[in-house]
mmCIF file of all heavy atoms in Angstrom:
data_model
loop_
_atom_site.group_PDB
_atom_site.id
_atom_site.type_symbol
_atom_site.label_atom_id
_atom_site.label_comp_id
_atom_site.label_asym_id
_atom_site.label_seq_id
_atom_site.Cartn_x
_atom_site.Cartn_y
_atom_site.Cartn_z
ATOM 1 N N GLN A 220 -165.925 79.715 -66.307
ATOM 2 C CA GLN A 220 -166.336 78.827 -65.222
ATOM 3 C C GLN A 220 -165.817 77.425 -65.534
ATOM 4 O O GLN A 220 -165.724 77.039 -66.694
ATOM 5 C CB GLN A 220 -167.869 78.812 -65.109
ATOM 6 C CG GLN A 220 -168.457 80.165 -64.786
ATOM 7 C CD GLN A 220 -167.939 80.712 -63.483
ATOM 8 O OE1 GLN A 220 -167.892 80.015 -62.481
ATOM 9 N NE2 GLN A 220 -167.530 81.969 -63.485
ATOM 10 N N PRO A 221 -165.495 76.618 -64.534
ATOM 11 C CA PRO A 221 -164.942 75.275 -64.776
ATOM 12 C C PRO A 221 -166.021 74.265 -65.167
ATOM 13 O O PRO A 221 -166.177 73.220 -64.536
ATOM 14 C CB PRO A 221 -164.288 74.927 -63.436
ATOM 15 C CG PRO A 221 -165.112 75.667 -62.429
ATOM 16 C CD PRO A 221 -165.522 76.958 -63.106
ATOM 17 N N VAL A 222 -166.788 74.600 -66.202
ATOM 18 C CA VAL A 222 -167.867 73.744 -66.685
ATOM 19 C C VAL A 222 -167.748 73.671 -68.207
ATOM 20 O O VAL A 222 -167.583 74.691 -68.868
ATOM 21 C CB VAL A 222 -169.257 74.322 -66.313
ATOM 22 C CG1 VAL A 222 -170.369 73.462 -66.872
ATOM 23 C CG2 VAL A 222 -169.392 74.469 -64.804
ATOM 24 N N VAL A 223 -167.830 72.470 -68.770
ATOM 25 C CA VAL A 223 -167.794 72.283 -70.220
ATOM 26 C C VAL A 223 -169.200 71.893 -70.669
ATOM 27 O O VAL A 223 -169.655 70.772 -70.423
ATOM 28 C CB VAL A 223 -166.771 71.200 -70.622
ATOM 29 C CG1 VAL A 223 -166.795 70.975 -72.129
ATOM 30 C CG2 VAL A 223 -165.376 71.598 -70.157
ATOM 31 N N ILE A 224 -169.893 72.814 -71.300
ATOM 32 C CA ILE A 224 -171.260 72.571 -71.770
ATOM 33 C C ILE A 224 -171.208 71.834 -73.104
ATOM 34 O O ILE A 224 -170.512 72.255 -74.028
ATOM 35 C CB ILE A 224 -172.024 73.904 -71.930
ATOM 36 C CG1 ILE A 224 -172.042 74.684 -70.612
ATOM 37 C CG2 ILE A 224 -173.431 73.672 -72.460
ATOM 38 C CD1 ILE A 224 -172.759 73.999 -69.479
ATOM 39 N N VAL A 225 -171.951 70.720 -73.209
ATOM 40 C CA VAL A 225 -171.910 69.927 -74.438
ATOM 41 C C VAL A 225 -173.233 69.911 -75.205
ATOM 42 O O VAL A 225 -173.256 69.643 -76.403
ATOM 43 C CB VAL A 225 -171.465 68.475 -74.157
ATOM 44 C CG1 VAL A 225 -170.027 68.443 -73.636
ATOM 45 C CG2 VAL A 225 -172.399 67.775 -73.179
ATOM 46 N N ARG A 226 -174.358 70.181 -74.524
ATOM 47 C CA ARG A 226 -175.627 70.217 -75.243
ATOM 48 C C ARG A 226 -176.658 70.986 -74.428
ATOM 49 O O ARG A 226 -176.478 71.238 -73.236
ATOM 50 C CB ARG A 226 -176.145 68.809 -75.560
ATOM 51 C CG ARG A 226 -176.584 67.999 -74.366
ATOM 52 C CD ARG A 226 -177.036 66.589 -74.774
ATOM 53 N NE ARG A 226 -177.440 65.823 -73.609
ATOM 54 C CZ ARG A 226 -178.688 65.762 -73.147
ATOM 55 N NH1 ARG A 226 -179.662 66.406 -73.781
ATOM 56 N NH2 ARG A 226 -178.981 65.028 -72.092
ATOM 57 N N GLY A 227 -177.741 71.373 -75.134
ATOM 58 C CA GLY A 227 -178.800 72.099 -74.460
ATOM 59 C C GLY A 227 -180.149 71.805 -75.079
ATOM 60 O O GLY A 227 -180.240 71.388 -76.237
ATOM 61 N N LYS A 228 -181.201 72.006 -74.305
ATOM 62 C CA LYS A 228 -182.569 71.860 -74.803
ATOM 63 C C LYS A 228 -183.453 72.784 -73.971
ATOM 64 O O LYS A 228 -183.508 72.650 -72.743
ATOM 65 C CB LYS A 228 -183.047 70.422 -74.707
ATOM 66 C CG LYS A 228 -184.433 70.208 -75.317
ATOM 67 C CD LYS A 228 -184.760 68.732 -75.404
ATOM 68 C CE LYS A 228 -186.155 68.479 -75.977
ATOM 69 N NZ LYS A 228 -186.348 68.985 -77.325
ATOM 70 N N GLY A 229 -184.102 73.727 -74.655
ATOM 71 C CA GLY A 229 -184.931 74.684 -73.934
ATOM 72 C C GLY A 229 -184.088 75.523 -72.993
ATOM 73 O O GLY A 229 -183.114 76.141 -73.400
ATOM 74 N N SER A 230 -184.453 75.522 -71.733
ATOM 75 C CA SER A 230 -183.724 76.301 -70.724
ATOM 76 C C SER A 230 -182.682 75.480 -69.973
ATOM 77 O O SER A 230 -182.125 75.951 -68.980
ATOM 78 C CB SER A 230 -184.715 76.890 -69.713
ATOM 79 O OG SER A 230 -185.587 77.782 -70.357
ATOM 80 N N TRP A 231 -182.406 74.269 -70.438
ATOM 81 C CA TRP A 231 -181.483 73.375 -69.735
ATOM 82 C C TRP A 231 -180.247 73.102 -70.571
ATOM 83 O O TRP A 231 -180.316 73.028 -71.798
ATOM 84 C CB TRP A 231 -182.180 72.052 -69.393
ATOM 85 C CG TRP A 231 -183.322 72.256 -68.448
ATOM 86 C CD1 TRP A 231 -184.633 72.477 -68.780
ATOM 87 C CD2 TRP A 231 -183.259 72.322 -67.027
ATOM 88 N NE1 TRP A 231 -185.384 72.661 -67.650
ATOM 89 C CE2 TRP A 231 -184.575 72.561 -66.551
ATOM 90 C CE3 TRP A 231 -182.230 72.183 -66.099
ATOM 91 C CZ2 TRP A 231 -184.875 72.682 -65.201
ATOM 92 C CZ3 TRP A 231 -182.525 72.290 -64.761
ATOM 93 C CH2 TRP A 231 -183.836 72.537 -64.318
ATOM 94 N N VAL A 232 -179.102 72.943 -69.896
ATOM 95 C CA VAL A 232 -177.859 72.539 -70.553
ATOM 96 C C VAL A 232 -177.229 71.411 -69.738
ATOM 97 O O VAL A 232 -177.521 71.250 -68.547
ATOM 98 C CB VAL A 232 -176.866 73.715 -70.699
ATOM 99 C CG1 VAL A 232 -177.392 74.764 -71.673
ATOM 100 C CG2 VAL A 232 -176.520 74.349 -69.358
ATOM 101 N N TRP A 233 -176.375 70.629 -70.400
ATOM 102 C CA TRP A 233 -175.681 69.518 -69.761
ATOM 103 C C TRP A 233 -174.192 69.656 -69.998
ATOM 104 O O TRP A 233 -173.754 70.059 -71.078
ATOM 105 C CB TRP A 233 -176.168 68.181 -70.327
ATOM 106 C CG TRP A 233 -177.554 67.820 -69.903
ATOM 107 C CD1 TRP A 233 -177.893 66.987 -68.877
ATOM 108 C CD2 TRP A 233 -178.790 68.288 -70.455
ATOM 109 N NE1 TRP A 233 -179.256 66.898 -68.765
ATOM 110 C CE2 TRP A 233 -179.844 67.684 -69.731
ATOM 111 C CE3 TRP A 233 -179.123 69.155 -71.497
ATOM 112 C CZ2 TRP A 233 -181.178 67.927 -69.999
ATOM 113 C CZ3 TRP A 233 -180.461 69.402 -71.777
ATOM 114 C CH2 TRP A 233 -181.474 68.785 -71.030
ATOM 115 N N ASP A 234 -173.396 69.282 -68.972
ATOM 116 C CA ASP A 234 -171.946 69.356 -69.124
ATOM 117 C C ASP A 234 -171.386 68.023 -69.599
ATOM 118 O O ASP A 234 -172.129 67.047 -69.800
ATOM 119 C CB ASP A 234 -171.279 69.855 -67.836
ATOM 120 C CG ASP A 234 -171.322 68.860 -66.680
ATOM 121 O OD1 ASP A 234 -171.674 67.678 -66.892
ATOM 122 O OD2 ASP A 234 -170.982 69.269 -65.555
ATOM 123 N N ALA A 235 -170.070 67.995 -69.782
ATOM 124 C CA ALA A 235 -169.406 66.808 -70.323
ATOM 125 C C ALA A 235 -169.534 65.598 -69.416
ATOM 126 O O ALA A 235 -169.359 64.463 -69.845
ATOM 127 C CB ALA A 235 -167.928 67.117 -70.573
ATOM 128 N N ASP A 236 -169.884 65.818 -68.141
ATOM 129 C CA ASP A 236 -170.050 64.718 -67.197
ATOM 130 C C ASP A 236 -171.512 64.341 -67.001
ATOM 131 O O ASP A 236 -171.840 63.531 -66.134
ATOM 132 C CB ASP A 236 -169.425 65.095 -65.854
ATOM 133 C CG ASP A 236 -167.935 65.365 -65.992
ATOM 134 O OD1 ASP A 236 -167.210 64.449 -66.426
ATOM 135 O OD2 ASP A 236 -167.516 66.502 -65.702
ATOM 136 N N GLY A 237 -172.409 64.943 -67.800
ATOM 137 C CA GLY A 237 -173.824 64.601 -67.730
ATOM 138 C C GLY A 237 -174.622 65.367 -66.693
ATOM 139 O O GLY A 237 -175.810 65.112 -66.505
ATOM 140 N N LYS A 238 -173.991 66.319 -66.007
ATOM 141 C CA LYS A 238 -174.706 67.101 -65.000
ATOM 142 C C LYS A 238 -175.604 68.126 -65.685
ATOM 143 O O LYS A 238 -175.209 68.780 -66.646
ATOM 144 C CB LYS A 238 -173.713 67.797 -64.072
ATOM 145 C CG LYS A 238 -174.376 68.517 -62.903
ATOM 146 C CD LYS A 238 -173.343 69.079 -61.932
ATOM 147 C CE LYS A 238 -174.043 69.798 -60.791
ATOM 148 N NZ LYS A 238 -173.073 70.402 -59.861
ATOM 149 N N GLU A 239 -176.824 68.271 -65.147
ATOM 150 C CA GLU A 239 -177.844 69.140 -65.728
ATOM 151 C C GLU A 239 -177.855 70.496 -65.009
ATOM 152 O O GLU A 239 -177.736 70.561 -63.789
ATOM 153 C CB GLU A 239 -179.209 68.459 -65.573
ATOM 154 C CG GLU A 239 -180.370 69.205 -66.165
ATOM 155 C CD GLU A 239 -181.672 68.438 -65.948
ATOM 156 O OE1 GLU A 239 -181.928 68.017 -64.790
ATOM 157 O OE2 GLU A 239 -182.410 68.259 -66.915
ATOM 158 N N TYR A 240 -178.001 71.587 -65.795
ATOM 159 C CA TYR A 240 -178.053 72.936 -65.231
ATOM 160 C C TYR A 240 -179.234 73.690 -65.833
ATOM 161 O O TYR A 240 -179.521 73.556 -67.025
ATOM 162 C CB TYR A 240 -176.792 73.745 -65.591
ATOM 163 C CG TYR A 240 -175.499 73.157 -65.117
ATOM 164 C CD1 TYR A 240 -174.837 72.181 -65.874
ATOM 165 C CD2 TYR A 240 -174.910 73.584 -63.932
ATOM 166 C CE1 TYR A 240 -173.623 71.655 -65.449
ATOM 167 C CE2 TYR A 240 -173.697 73.057 -63.503
ATOM 168 C CZ TYR A 240 -173.065 72.092 -64.266
ATOM 169 O OH TYR A 240 -171.869 71.567 -63.853
ATOM 170 N N LEU A 241 -179.896 74.500 -65.027
ATOM 171 C CA LEU A 241 -180.888 75.444 -65.524
ATOM 172 C C LEU A 241 -180.123 76.667 -66.016
ATOM 173 O O LEU A 241 -179.414 77.314 -65.250
ATOM 174 C CB LEU A 241 -181.872 75.834 -64.418
ATOM 175 C CG LEU A 241 -182.935 76.873 -64.793
ATOM 176 C CD1 LEU A 241 -183.800 76.376 -65.946
ATOM 177 C CD2 LEU A 241 -183.803 77.192 -63.580
ATOM 178 N N ASP A 242 -180.240 76.972 -67.303
ATOM 179 C CA ASP A 242 -179.470 78.045 -67.924
ATOM 180 C C ASP A 242 -180.159 79.387 -67.709
ATOM 181 O O ASP A 242 -181.116 79.719 -68.405
ATOM 182 C CB ASP A 242 -179.288 77.762 -69.416
ATOM 183 C CG ASP A 242 -178.421 78.802 -70.099
ATOM 184 O OD1 ASP A 242 -177.897 79.705 -69.412
ATOM 185 O OD2 ASP A 242 -178.260 78.708 -71.332
ATOM 186 N N LEU A 243 -179.684 80.148 -66.745
ATOM 187 C CA LEU A 243 -180.223 81.476 -66.478
ATOM 188 C C LEU A 243 -179.396 82.570 -67.151
ATOM 189 O O LEU A 243 -179.670 83.753 -66.972
ATOM 190 C CB LEU A 243 -180.291 81.728 -64.970
ATOM 191 C CG LEU A 243 -181.185 80.752 -64.192
ATOM 192 C CD1 LEU A 243 -181.090 81.007 -62.698
ATOM 193 C CD2 LEU A 243 -182.623 80.841 -64.667
ATOM 194 N N ILE A 244 -178.387 82.185 -67.915
ATOM 195 C CA ILE A 244 -177.515 83.159 -68.579
ATOM 196 C C ILE A 244 -177.933 83.367 -70.034
ATOM 197 O O ILE A 244 -177.899 84.474 -70.543
ATOM 198 C CB ILE A 244 -176.044 82.710 -68.492
ATOM 199 C CG1 ILE A 244 -175.622 82.617 -67.014
ATOM 200 C CG2 ILE A 244 -175.140 83.677 -69.240
ATOM 201 C CD1 ILE A 244 -174.282 81.982 -66.799
ATOM 202 N N GLY A 245 -178.363 82.296 -70.684
ATOM 203 C CA GLY A 245 -178.829 82.409 -72.069
ATOM 204 C C GLY A 245 -177.785 82.958 -73.019
ATOM 205 O O GLY A 245 -178.082 83.778 -73.887
ATOM 206 N N GLY A 246 -176.533 82.496 -72.875
ATOM 207 C CA GLY A 246 -175.481 82.961 -73.777
ATOM 208 C C GLY A 246 -175.272 84.458 -73.681
ATOM 209 O O GLY A 246 -175.106 85.138 -74.680
ATOM 210 N N TRP A 247 -175.307 84.997 -72.452
ATOM 211 C CA TRP A 247 -175.240 86.438 -72.216
ATOM 212 C C TRP A 247 -176.384 87.136 -72.947
ATOM 213 O O TRP A 247 -176.205 88.087 -73.684
ATOM 214 C CB TRP A 247 -173.894 87.053 -72.587
ATOM 215 C CG TRP A 247 -172.812 86.750 -71.599
ATOM 216 C CD1 TRP A 247 -172.975 86.404 -70.300
ATOM 217 C CD2 TRP A 247 -171.408 86.751 -71.831
ATOM 218 N NE1 TRP A 247 -171.757 86.195 -69.695
ATOM 219 C CE2 TRP A 247 -170.777 86.409 -70.624
ATOM 220 C CE3 TRP A 247 -170.631 87.013 -72.947
ATOM 221 C CZ2 TRP A 247 -169.399 86.321 -70.501
ATOM 222 C CZ3 TRP A 247 -169.263 86.923 -72.818
ATOM 223 C CH2 TRP A 247 -168.655 86.582 -71.608
ATOM 224 N N ALA A 248 -177.581 86.574 -72.770
ATOM 225 C CA ALA A 248 -178.831 87.181 -73.244
ATOM 226 C C ALA A 248 -179.035 87.089 -74.753
ATOM 227 O O ALA A 248 -179.796 87.855 -75.312
ATOM 228 C CB ALA A 248 -178.939 88.632 -72.775
ATOM 229 N N VAL A 249 -178.401 86.129 -75.425
ATOM 230 C CA VAL A 249 -178.635 85.975 -76.863
ATOM 231 C C VAL A 249 -179.437 84.718 -77.203
ATOM 232 O O VAL A 249 -179.860 84.549 -78.344
ATOM 233 C CB VAL A 249 -177.316 85.965 -77.670
ATOM 234 C CG1 VAL A 249 -176.589 87.277 -77.520
ATOM 235 C CG2 VAL A 249 -176.416 84.812 -77.244
ATOM 236 N N ASN A 250 -179.671 83.849 -76.222
ATOM 237 C CA ASN A 250 -180.468 82.644 -76.446
ATOM 238 C C ASN A 250 -181.810 82.772 -75.739
ATOM 239 O O ASN A 250 -182.228 81.907 -74.978
ATOM 240 C CB ASN A 250 -179.732 81.394 -75.926
ATOM 241 C CG ASN A 250 -178.468 81.111 -76.692
ATOM 242 O OD1 ASN A 250 -178.342 81.474 -77.847
ATOM 243 N ND2 ASN A 250 -177.520 80.481 -76.042
ATOM 244 N N SER A 251 -182.519 83.848 -76.007
ATOM 245 C CA SER A 251 -183.744 84.119 -75.256
ATOM 246 C C SER A 251 -184.862 83.130 -75.567
ATOM 247 O O SER A 251 -185.819 83.028 -74.805
ATOM 248 C CB SER A 251 -184.229 85.552 -75.529
ATOM 249 O OG SER A 251 -184.464 85.733 -76.910
ATOM 250 N N LEU A 252 -184.763 82.404 -76.660
ATOM 251 C CA LEU A 252 -185.770 81.392 -76.998
ATOM 252 C C LEU A 252 -185.332 79.991 -76.607
ATOM 253 O O LEU A 252 -185.995 79.013 -76.937
ATOM 254 C CB LEU A 252 -186.094 81.443 -78.496
ATOM 255 C CG LEU A 252 -186.676 82.771 -78.987
ATOM 256 C CD1 LEU A 252 -186.920 82.726 -80.487
ATOM 257 C CD2 LEU A 252 -187.954 83.114 -78.253
ATOM 258 N N GLY A 253 -184.223 79.910 -75.895
ATOM 259 C CA GLY A 253 -183.759 78.612 -75.420
ATOM 260 C C GLY A 253 -182.862 77.905 -76.423
ATOM 261 O O GLY A 253 -182.642 78.365 -77.537
ATOM 262 N N HIS A 254 -182.367 76.756 -76.004
ATOM 263 C CA HIS A 254 -181.457 75.964 -76.830
ATOM 264 C C HIS A 254 -182.243 75.001 -77.707
ATOM 265 O O HIS A 254 -183.202 74.379 -77.265
ATOM 266 C CB HIS A 254 -180.504 75.164 -75.927
ATOM 267 C CG HIS A 254 -179.637 76.032 -75.079
ATOM 268 N ND1 HIS A 254 -178.493 76.622 -75.536
ATOM 269 C CD2 HIS A 254 -179.779 76.434 -73.783
ATOM 270 C CE1 HIS A 254 -177.939 77.335 -74.559
ATOM 271 N NE2 HIS A 254 -178.708 77.233 -73.486
ATOM 272 N N CYS A 255 -181.820 74.884 -78.961
ATOM 273 C CA CYS A 255 -182.342 73.883 -79.898
ATOM 274 C C CYS A 255 -183.852 74.004 -80.127
ATOM 275 O O CYS A 255 -184.546 72.992 -80.292
ATOM 276 C CB CYS A 255 -181.977 72.477 -79.448
ATOM 277 S SG CYS A 255 -180.203 72.247 -79.235
ATOM 278 N N HIS A 256 -184.361 75.223 -80.141
ATOM 279 C CA HIS A 256 -185.778 75.423 -80.459
ATOM 280 C C HIS A 256 -186.022 74.863 -81.863
ATOM 281 O O HIS A 256 -185.284 75.176 -82.796
ATOM 282 C CB HIS A 256 -186.122 76.909 -80.400
ATOM 283 C CG HIS A 256 -187.583 77.185 -80.480
ATOM 284 N ND1 HIS A 256 -188.317 77.022 -81.637
ATOM 285 C CD2 HIS A 256 -188.450 77.607 -79.530
ATOM 286 C CE1 HIS A 256 -189.570 77.338 -81.409
ATOM 287 N NE2 HIS A 256 -189.678 77.699 -80.139
ATOM 288 N N PRO A 257 -187.033 74.015 -82.039
ATOM 289 C CA PRO A 257 -187.190 73.339 -83.334
ATOM 290 C C PRO A 257 -187.382 74.289 -84.518
ATOM 291 O O PRO A 257 -186.878 74.013 -85.608
ATOM 292 C CB PRO A 257 -188.408 72.440 -83.131
ATOM 293 C CG PRO A 257 -189.047 72.888 -81.866
ATOM 294 C CD PRO A 257 -188.017 73.577 -81.056
ATOM 295 N N VAL A 258 -188.080 75.388 -84.334
ATOM 296 C CA VAL A 258 -188.286 76.328 -85.449
ATOM 297 C C VAL A 258 -186.969 76.993 -85.829
ATOM 298 O O VAL A 258 -186.634 77.121 -87.009
ATOM 299 C CB VAL A 258 -189.353 77.380 -85.078
ATOM 300 C CG1 VAL A 258 -189.466 78.442 -86.165
ATOM 301 C CG2 VAL A 258 -190.704 76.709 -84.840
ATOM 302 N N ILE A 259 -186.186 77.384 -84.815
ATOM 303 C CA ILE A 259 -184.890 78.016 -85.083
ATOM 304 C C ILE A 259 -183.922 77.004 -85.697
ATOM 305 O O ILE A 259 -183.204 77.313 -86.649
ATOM 306 C CB ILE A 259 -184.310 78.618 -83.788
ATOM 307 C CG1 ILE A 259 -185.221 79.751 -83.305
ATOM 308 C CG2 ILE A 259 -182.889 79.125 -84.009
ATOM 309 C CD1 ILE A 259 -184.859 80.295 -81.948
ATOM 310 N N THR A 260 -183.920 75.794 -85.166
ATOM 311 C CA THR A 260 -183.051 74.747 -85.709
ATOM 312 C C THR A 260 -183.362 74.484 -87.175
ATOM 313 O O THR A 260 -182.454 74.371 -88.010
ATOM 314 C CB THR A 260 -183.204 73.448 -84.887
ATOM 315 O OG1 THR A 260 -182.840 73.721 -83.535
ATOM 316 C CG2 THR A 260 -182.320 72.345 -85.436
#
């Protein structure tokens, strides 16, 4: 997809232009606990 993801938190990710997206893909179902979960980090 023409989107460059640069960071994530929980169920949200942001692209290189600062646009926010609700992540319903979860890395093809491998990020089921969300992005940057503090315990996992």
Side-chain angles (χ1 to χ4, degrees):
Q220 298 301 313
V222 177
V223 177
I224 303 297
V225 296
R226 68 182 179 92
K228 184 171 179 61
S230 297
W231 297 91
V232 293
W233 289 262
D234 70 11
D236 299 301
K238 186 174 180 182
E239 182 180 49
Y240 300 85
L241 177 60
D242 183 4
L243 299 175
I244 299 171
W247 285 337
V249 297
N250 295 333
S251 59
L252 299 178
H254 298 279
C255 304
H256 190 289
V258 174
I259 295 172
T260 300

